[in-house]
Amino acid sequence: MEREATSMMPERKRVRPIPAAYAKAANAANAAAATDASAPGPERTASVGHLYVFVYGTLRAGGSNDITRYHPPPQWIGPAGVAGTLHDFGAWPGLQLMGDRWVVGEVWRIAQCSEPLLDQLEGVREDGSGEYLKRRLPIRVDGQSFECLVYEINSDRLLDQPIIASGDWIAHCASNTARSAAGT
């Protein structure tokens, strides 16, 4: 379960917005590239002391656990997406990888020292019994492939959580907030 991250994070700061048109175009390109195994571009691995992470829920820029609050500050790589299904757990989503749906997210370059903090936030356990399982997947951003950490919900935790049809947690939250404000 994603919980409020507290370790090594400063007070909430203003986050630079990610242009919606850019995100939409990049996600369309990622979707096309994901279906083409022969898409060009070598896979990028992070330099020593760094790694890449794909975030799709509360860790996204503007989310309740915004990854930009971690120290040292992560570096924005770009919008991306993965094949999978996004489930609504109320205050956070859970990604189930694979399938014919598409989940919207972002790729960030983080310091290796942030990995255990993310593992703790996501409830990862070495024996595989935690809330989330840590995977490593190649994810495409702007035609380049990045080997990324991806936190997948443990299938044992899936009961009858609704599916987020849009595959976009931030848009889903905004839609729910708008409906609540309108009284519907």
Side-chain angles (χ1 to χ4, degrees):
M1 149 176 39
E2 290 190 9
R3 298 176 234 357
E4 283 294 320
T6 55
S7 305
M8 298 180 65
M9 290 190 296
E11 290 183 34
R12 197 143 176 73
K13 64 180 183 180
R14 190 175 180 133
V15 178
R16 66 175 185 238
I18 301 165
Y22 175 72
K24 185 176 181 181
N27 286 328
N30 285 335
T35 60
D36 180 8
S38 66
E43 192 168 291
R44 289 184 165 221
T45 55
S47 60
V48 174
H50 292 89
L51 49 97
Y52 297 104
V53 62
F54 172 79
V55 297
Y56 57 85
T58 66
L59 284 164
R60 283 179 61 192
S64 61
N65 288 314
D66 190 327
I67 197 165
T68 63
R69 298 185 310 171
Y70 282 84
H71 285 286
Q75 177 188 0
W76 164 259
I77 301 300
V82 295
T85 303
L86 202 56
H87 296 270
D88 188 343
F89 282 79
W92 66 89
L95 166 65
Q96 187 176 25
L97 290 168
M98 306 315 281
D100 59 356
R101 295 179 183 266
W102 196 249
V103 175
V104 175
E106 305 160 356
V107 172
W108 292 85
R109 181 177 175 251
I110 62 170
Q112 208 160 17
C113 64
S114 296
E115 183 179 4
L117 299 173
L118 293 176
D119 290 353
Q120 180 181 9
L121 176 73
E122 302 292 6
V124 172
R125 293 191 184 145
E126 287 189 32
D127 67 0
S129 67
E131 186 86 18
Y132 287 83
L133 305 171
K134 184 168 47 176
R135 310 284 191 204
R136 293 188 188 274
L137 296 174
I139 299 193
R140 297 187 71 75
V141 176
D142 290 335
Q144 296 181 0
S145 183
F146 295 85
E147 181 72 20
C148 293
L149 295 177
V150 178
Y151 291 90
E152 180 180 23
I153 190 72
N154 189 328
S155 61
D156 293 344
R157 308 298 172 130
L158 287 173
L159 302 173
D160 292 324
Q161 284 77 20
I163 291 173
I164 300 170
S166 69
D168 186 333
W169 175 250
I170 300 294
H172 175 72
C173 290
S175 174
N176 286 347
T177 300
R179 278 196 298 272
S180 293
T184 58

